Amino acid sequence: MTHADPLDQASELEHQQLQISLVNRPLPKPFSAICLNGDCGTASLPKSNYCCSECREDAEKHERAARFKRH
């Protein structure tokens, strides 16, 4: 009967933990084709949720204000 080397056991445990972390990671939301800033309605820039930096900043301000009101 052979016993596994402690380094092999540690390596296997690390591999298992990495696999569990990968499976349980939150997936990013897909990008929106239309600007998410209120009623802007303009097409979003590629790989973005907003048509311009002003719309992104405005939406972030509204999100922060909404979080502040909840507390």
Side-chain angles (χ1 to χ4, degrees), residues 32-45 48-52 55-56 58-59:
S32 174
I34 305 296
C35 183
L36 294 181
N37 184 25
D39 58 353
C40 177
T42 306
S44 296
L45 295 173
S48 176
N49 287 320
Y50 302 99
C51 64
C52 62
C55 277
R56 180 186 50 81
D58 192 38

Side-chain angles (χ1 to χ4, degrees), residues 1-61:
M1 181 172 171
T2 61
H3 294 284
D5 181 14
L7 292 176
D8 290 336
Q9 290 175 341
S11 177
E12 180 64 29
L13 179 60
E14 182 181 18
H15 179 71
Q16 288 174 349
Q17 291 172 340
L18 178 63
Q19 292 300 319
I20 291 168
S21 296
L22 288 173
V23 169
N24 292 326
R25 75 182 186 276
L27 297 176
K29 293 180 182 178
F31 294 113
S32 174
I34 305 296
C35 183
L36 294 181
N37 184 25
D39 58 353
C40 177
T42 306
S44 296
L45 295 173
K47 297 184 179 181
S48 176
N49 287 320
Y50 302 99
C51 64
C52 62
S53 61
E54 289 83 11
C55 277
R56 180 186 50 81
E57 291 168 2
D58 192 38
E60 289 173 351
K61 287 177 187 175

